[in-house]
Amino acid sequence: MSTQNNKAHEEFHPHVLPISAYLGVFSALIFFTIITVVVAAIDLGPFNMVVAMLIAGTKALLVGLIFMHLLFDRKLYLMLFLVGMITLTIFIVITMFDTERRGDIFPEVGKPIKVESEHYQAPIEELRAKHGGHSEHGAEEGHGEAESHGDNAGTMDADDHGEEEHESAGIDTGHEKQNSSNGGH
Amino acid sequence: MEIQQTATPPSALQHHYSDIEQQHDSAKFGMWLFLVTEILFFGGLFCAYAIYRSWYPEMFHNAHKVLSVPMGALNTVVLIVSSLTMALSIRSVQLNKSKQALGYLIATFGFAAVFMVVKYFEYSHKFHVGQLPGKFYFYDGIAGANPHQFFSIYFAMTGLHGAHILIGMIVMIFIMIKLAKGAYSPQNYAYIENFGLYWHLVDMFWIFLFPLLYLIG
């Protein structure tokens, strides 16, 4: 209603940016693209990820604020955009609390499933050799053995750097629901 | 109400809005709601990427090397240029230059087509050598566990992105026809502006996909 009262006699004027603003953002985006390719070629260890995401975030911010007019439009749209981004961040972080820490408390929980699936036939032979060929059915192992097997499987998920043996065991991780109760004994 | 309706072209203002600005804002608000669902739609795949990357860091590192950085970088530049021409097209409509806007939009369409052609060459190469998702994977040359997982994620993410580009190109054809008919004016351009928002968001996704998949794997 207020809109009607206040603007009854006003015309609608679009907010037009100068062409230099668009060209400036465009140049910055191209510049950042070159930077991110160059930096990725240098080995910074884990900081490669940080730098790449910072650059990508800056580029996305430029696109959002200028190309998508978030800076000049109603702040409602900016808020909506941020709500989407924050929801996504929460979603990813909480999911990774789970996937990164599986098997920390109950090793059985971190144990992979689908060990026998067709795609993993070759690596499975290695896995069997390593564990003394007893893992015919992962879910039906004796308790003592299951414990030690579970330990290995747990580390496979959480920190598998340099553990080629385990990695090549190559398994889709997930849970046996029944096993999680085993782990607590 | 009566004054408003006579002051603006009758076709531009729908009867259930009090003025043209309210109509414009409503359309834009709806578009932003849709864009938020798009962020979450792609977000699930970004989450999958994060999980599998942390589970198999070495495999991801080895697998990302088979992607062609020059082709990815070329596509990044192509999409950024298309975003620029899209923004300029909307600017031209705001200034009531429909012909100029149509030119910019055709350029945007052209760059989108270039993007898809580059993508086609990348995809056909991968199909040829067997860098395929899941059980279709038969490439032999990536060390580490579950390299097919990388390509599942690669094809899901770039495929969804490519589908968005294709849908965008189809919508662009309709906008071109309307532009050629002179259907948009500075009083009535919410449709093309909202499409621009969609296009920039698709560009934004690629800005993240390019480093994640091609550069740091």
Side-chain angles (χ1 to χ4, degrees):
Chain A
M1 291 306 284
S2 64
T3 314
Q4 197 178 330
N5 293 336
N6 295 339
K7 305 197 174 171
H9 300 287
E10 286 177 27
E11 276 214 18
F12 174 57
H13 293 294
H15 184 277
V16 186
L17 285 180
I19 210 158
S20 58
Y22 291 115
L23 290 177
V25 169
F26 170 72
S27 321
L29 290 174
I30 296 291
F31 173 74
F32 281 125
T33 306
I34 296 167
I35 293 290
T36 194
V37 170
V38 170
V39 171
I42 308 164
D43 187 17
L44 301 172
F47 287 103
N48 272 113
M49 182 62 149
V50 177
V51 172
M53 284 302 96
L54 277 180
I55 293 175
T58 311
K59 286 165 77 180
L61 209 63
L62 280 173
V63 171
L65 290 181
I66 310 295
F67 280 181
M68 295 168 101
H69 283 252
L70 279 176
L71 196 58
F72 317 103
D73 264 336
R74 302 195 155 188
K75 292 298 170 272
L76 174 66
Y77 309 138
L78 183 63
M79 195 196 75
L80 268 179
F81 181 71
L82 291 178
V83 164
M85 285 297 188
I86 292 166
T87 308
L88 178 58
T89 311
I90 293 170
F91 168 59
I92 291 179
V93 167
I94 290 183
T95 308
M96 291 192 77
F97 277 151
D98 169 21
T99 59
E100 288 300 287
R101 302 256 71 92
R102 279 182 190 175
D104 277 13
I105 299 172
F106 305 126
E108 291 284 325
V109 177
K111 208 162 138 185
I113 56 168
K114 291 174 81 178
V115 177
E116 301 292 326
S117 86
E118 192 185 337
H119 197 77
Y120 305 103
Q121 279 309 314
I124 280 316
E125 295 310 314
E126 293 169 28
L127 183 70
R128 284 208 179 118
K130 192 169 174 59
H131 292 284
H134 65 261
S135 57
E136 196 62 36
H137 294 287
E140 293 166 18
E141 285 170 1
H143 270 210
E145 283 177 327
E147 200 65 70
S148 67
H149 183 99
D151 271 343
N152 288 332
T155 53
M156 193 193 303
D157 288 345
D159 39 331
D160 49 356
H161 302 274
E163 287 190 309
E164 284 300 324
E165 286 290 324
H166 290 261
E167 281 208 316
S168 62
I171 292 135
D172 242 343
T173 43
H175 306 144
E176 281 285 344
K177 284 264 163 55
Q178 299 103 332
N179 275 357
S180 57
S181 56
N182 272 351
H185 64 80
Chain B
M1 284 287 282
E2 294 303 316
I3 301 163
Q4 275 298 309
Q5 276 185 340
T6 48
T8 53
S11 61
L13 183 67
Q14 311 242 338
H15 68 89
H16 48 283
Y17 293 110
S18 59
D19 59 40
I20 201 86
E21 184 173 7
Q22 189 200 25
Q23 176 175 302
H24 191 95
D25 283 347
S26 303
K28 220 171 179 181
F29 179 65
M31 191 65 197
W32 271 108
L33 282 179
F34 169 67
L35 293 189
V36 169
T37 68
E38 288 279 278
I39 291 172
L40 300 178
F41 186 17
F42 273 87
L45 290 172
F46 279 106
C47 187
Y49 173 92
I51 291 166
Y52 278 94
R53 188 177 196 271
S54 69
W55 275 349
Y56 309 112
E58 290 182 16
M59 180 277 286
F60 260 67
H61 184 73
N62 294 327
H64 97 275
K65 288 178 184 161
V66 306
L67 301 182
S68 162
V69 173
M71 276 186 154
L74 173 67
N75 260 351
T76 308
V77 172
V78 165
L79 266 198
I80 290 174
V81 178
S82 84
S83 246
L84 174 71
T85 53
M86 188 70 234
L88 292 177
S89 176
I90 293 164
R91 184 180 179 273
S92 299
V93 174
Q94 288 177 331
L95 297 171
N96 211 5
K97 296 176 186 164
S98 276
K99 281 247 169 63
Q100 201 182 53
L102 183 61
Y104 280 131
L105 197 66
I106 290 170
T108 310
F109 188 87
F111 287 119
V114 170
F115 180 92
M116 291 312 289
V117 168
V118 174
K119 207 83 228 142
Y120 167 77
F121 282 117
E122 283 190 272
Y123 271 21
S124 57
H125 174 72
K126 284 183 182 56
F127 275 74
H128 188 68
V129 299
Q131 294 159 348
L132 293 168
K135 64 174 185 175
F136 303 106
Y137 180 87
F138 62 85
Y139 184 68
D140 187 25
I142 296 170
N146 299 340
H148 64 290
Q149 224 32 286
F150 178 85
F151 291 99
S152 298
I153 290 168
Y154 169 86
F155 276 100
M157 294 184 98
T158 59
L160 184 64
H161 182 267
H164 277 78
I165 298 274
L166 275 180
I167 292 166
M169 288 171 78
I170 293 167
V171 177
M172 256 190 261
I173 292 172
F174 287 104
I175 298 179
M176 281 181 204
I177 294 168
K178 290 197 101 181
L179 262 180
K181 286 181 184 166
Y184 301 122
S185 71
Q187 297 297 310
N188 175 32
Y189 67 101
Y191 197 87
I192 186 169
E193 188 180 34
N194 286 342
F195 176 74
L197 292 178
Y198 168 86
W199 195 251
H200 295 313
L201 191 78
V202 172
D203 181 31
M204 217 184 257
F205 288 136
W206 185 259
I207 284 174
F208 282 99
L209 284 182
F210 171 58
L212 285 176
L213 291 172
Y214 290 78
L215 294 180
I216 49 178

